[in-house]
């Protein structure tokens, strides 16, 4: 874990010594500082407050050798939250040495690795642990210690990973939001006797065949998605109608089992259309299959469609179906859902972008998630963003029910260096 002083020192360098530091050490200093505020519409299910403000320091130091083969990235992320001590965070997102020459590459240190092709949820993305206090949908990840060996050939790219240390999922504290407040105060349990020191292995083969992108992967190690123990009893599936929101009267803690995951990612381009697939089979304490199918379509020159002068605007629409064989017994929110999304990029000098999305449960028509995000530059180094989430659920049998009081809007302003 990092101390706040690390980020403070880097930001002093960023603010006052960017050019001198680059001249003396050959490194590039960059990053951003963000002030964000979440305003919830209701008190939480455990009487948590409705206002939540955070200060985020995210500096980055980047070095690249003259020959371009070697680089190093150092990126700590520190969050200071007004409402929730569990959301105070000092995480090393990247501390990564990279080398690549000809057909061989390696990455050593703490890094980020993304797998997946879908817009809604990436079920194959298993290397990094989810940062659950940052976003509810799993899109933000913690840094992962790793050794990554990359071998390129005419037949494709093979990535091999050794992950020597497991990162526990971050959760909100008792006063925090969104889901599972209080889990940050509980100790985790592990199936392996080595706990977080049980090393993981992963392999991924990827290749492009004309208009078709294909990737096959296998992961063996500690599952990033926890089960839960309630008063010492292990729950390998969710019991519909039974709340598992922690309280001071219930001892609930995450349990991390051993897992083998086999994954497929596929993307095929047909004109302006993309056809996409992610699928996994997970062999663990509750074996299951998950599949996401989707399509994406891009429209350019929108004046042709709506009769307005919108030169340079780009509109992308998404449609995806999310399936999990565990059904209502899965801890995930998305077991049999449709995602519909729209992204409107104005490609203007302010880089204005508008996104809207809907997750609709196909078995419970009263269960859905609405999300909206708008962002734009104010001036060269400043950017604002506005987002909102509405969690609509009426049935206690629904996994989304625990978020029914957590509708919120969030405003952020960032300064980039």
């Amino acid at each position: 874990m990092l101390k706040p002083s690390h980020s403070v020192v880097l930001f002093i360098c960023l603010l006052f010594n960017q050019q001198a530091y680059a001249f003396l050490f050959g490194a590039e200093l960059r990053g951003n500082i963000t002030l964000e505020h979440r305003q919830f519409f209701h008190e939480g299910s455990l009487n948590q407050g409705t206002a939540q403000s955070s200060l985020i320091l995210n500096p980055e130091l980047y070095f690249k050798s003259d020959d371009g083969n070697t680089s190093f990235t150092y990126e700590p992320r520190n969050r200071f939250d007004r409402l929730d001590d569990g959301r105070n965070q000092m995480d090393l997102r990247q501390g990564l040495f990279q080398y690549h020459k000809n057909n061989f590459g390696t990455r050593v240190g703490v890094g980020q690795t993304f797998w997946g092709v879908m817009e809604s949820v990436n079920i194959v993305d298993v290397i990094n642990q989810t940062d659950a206090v940052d976003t509810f949908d799993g899109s933000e990840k913690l840094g992962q210690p790793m050794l990554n060996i990359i071998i390129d050939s005419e037949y494709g790219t093979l990535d091999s990973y050794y992950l020597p240390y497991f990162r526990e999922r971050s959760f909100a504290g008792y006063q925090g939001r969104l889901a599972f407040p209080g889990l940050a105060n509980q100790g985790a349990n592990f199936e392996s006797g080595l706990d977080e020191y049980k090393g993981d292995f992963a392999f991924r083969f990827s290749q492009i065949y004309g208009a078709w992108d294909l990737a096959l992967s296998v992961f063996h190690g500690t599952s990033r998605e926890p089960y839960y123990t309630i008063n010492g009893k292990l729950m390998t599936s969710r019991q519909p109608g039974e709340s598992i929101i922690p309280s001071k009267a219930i001892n609930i803690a995450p349990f991390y089992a051993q897992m083998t995951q086999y994954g497929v990612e596929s993307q095929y381009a047909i004109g302006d259309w993309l056809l996409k697939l992610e699928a996994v089979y997970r062999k663990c304490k509750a074996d299951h299959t998950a599949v996401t199918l989707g399509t994406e379509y891009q429209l350019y020159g929108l004046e042709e469609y709506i009769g307005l002068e919108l030169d340079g605007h780009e509109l992308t629409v998404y449609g995806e179906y999310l399936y999990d064989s565990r059904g209502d017994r899965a801890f995930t929110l998305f077991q049999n859902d449709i995602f519909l999304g729209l992204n409107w990029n104005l490609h203007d000098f302010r880089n204005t972008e508008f996104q809207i999305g809907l997750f609709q449960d196909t078995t419970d028509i009263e269960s859905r998630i609405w999300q909206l995000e708008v962002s734009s530059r104010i001036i060269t180094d400043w950017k604002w963003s506005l987002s909102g989430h509405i969690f609509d659920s009426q049935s206690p049998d629904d996994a989304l029910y625990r978020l029914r009081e957590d509708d919120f809007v969030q405003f952020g302003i960032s300064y980039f260096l």
Side-chain angles (χ1 to χ4, degrees), residues 102-300:
N102 299 328
N103 296 327
F104 174 82
T106 185
R107 302 193 303 155
V108 182
V110 175
Q112 297 270 343
T113 294
F114 173 77
W115 294 354
V117 295
M118 310 304 292
E119 180 70 16
S120 57
V121 177
N122 300 110
I123 56 177
V124 298
D125 193 26
V126 73
I127 297 295
N128 291 80
Q129 176 61 276
T130 296
D131 184 358
V133 300
D134 203 311
T135 59
F136 81 95
D137 60 3
S139 58
E140 283 292 329
K141 303 287 185 174
L142 302 175
Q144 172 62 51
M146 66 172 63
L147 169 61
N148 175 205
I149 303 297
I150 308 156
I151 299 176
D152 294 318
S153 74
E154 60 180 307
Y155 302 105
T157 300
L158 177 64
D159 281 271
S160 303
Y161 297 87
Y162 173 61
L163 313 171
Y165 182 79
F166 175 78
R167 300 292 310 279
E168 295 181 29
R169 183 168 295 193
S170 55
F171 292 101
Y174 272 118
Q175 296 303 313
R177 307 180 77 165
L178 299 171
F180 294 150
L183 276 175
N185 303 322
Q186 305 291 337
N189 301 301
F190 294 84
E191 180 177 4
S192 170
L194 296 176
D195 296 343
E196 63 266 42
Y197 295 99
K198 172 71 166 60
D200 307 329
F201 296 89
F203 302 91
R204 182 176 184 265
F205 170 81
S206 59
Q207 178 62 303
I208 299 175
Y209 303 96
W212 181 34
D213 295 2
L214 175 67
L216 306 173
S217 60
V218 60
F219 169 92
H220 178 74
T222 304
S223 174
R224 273 53 180 160
E225 179 181 311
Y227 300 115
Y228 299 93
T229 59
I230 295 183
N231 295 330
K233 181 181 178 181
L234 176 62
M235 296 177 60
T236 58
S237 63
R238 191 182 68 87
Q239 305 300 313
E242 180 179 352
S243 174
I244 59 171
I245 295 179
S247 72
K248 295 182 179 179
I250 299 176
N251 182 7
I252 180 171
F255 177 90
Y256 296 98
Q258 292 297 292
M259 176 191 75
T260 300
Q261 172 182 298
Y262 304 95
V264 178
E265 306 156 62
S266 180
Q267 183 171 272
Y268 186 74
I270 307 176
D272 293 331
W273 289 88
L274 281 179
L275 306 179
K276 301 186 288 185
L277 164 72
E278 289 186 31
V280 297
Y281 171 70
R282 291 175 180 166
K283 186 171 180 58
C284 48
K285 285 192 172 295
D287 297 353
H288 64 279
T289 301
V291 179
T292 307
L293 292 166
T295 186
E296 172 183 327
Y297 183 70
Q298 290 187 330
L299 297 92
Y300 300 95

Side-chain angles (χ1 to χ4, degrees), residues 336-356:
N336 192 10
D337 296 70
I338 291 174
F339 171 76
L340 301 174
L342 179 149
N343 181 288
W344 184 4
N345 194 324
L346 276 62
H347 288 297
D348 59 352
F349 73 98
R350 297 187 185 276
N351 197 27
T352 306
E353 193 169 2
F354 172 89
Q355 300 177 63
I356 188 170

Side-chain angles (χ1 to χ4, degrees), residues 391-415:
F391 306 99
D392 191 0
S393 178
Q394 306 299 320
S395 172
D397 290 340
D398 184 15
L400 184 61
Y401 189 71
R402 69 174 187 265
L403 296 177
R404 67 194 183 280
E405 303 292 343
D406 286 327
D407 301 345
F408 71 92
V409 293
Q410 176 174 296
F411 177 77
I413 185 166
S414 300
Y415 176 61

Side-chain angles (χ1 to χ4, degrees), residues 1-11 57-59 74-80 88-93:
M1 302 296 282
L2 297 173
K3 296 181 179 179
S5 59
H6 291 185
S7 285
V8 173
V9 169
L10 274 181
F11 264 102
L57 304 179
N58 192 40
Y74 176 68
E75 183 185 357
R77 178 181 173 90
N78 291 297
R79 178 194 293 274
F80 307 92
N88 288 338
Q89 187 181 67
M90 302 164 205
D91 182 52
L92 182 59
R93 288 301 205 247

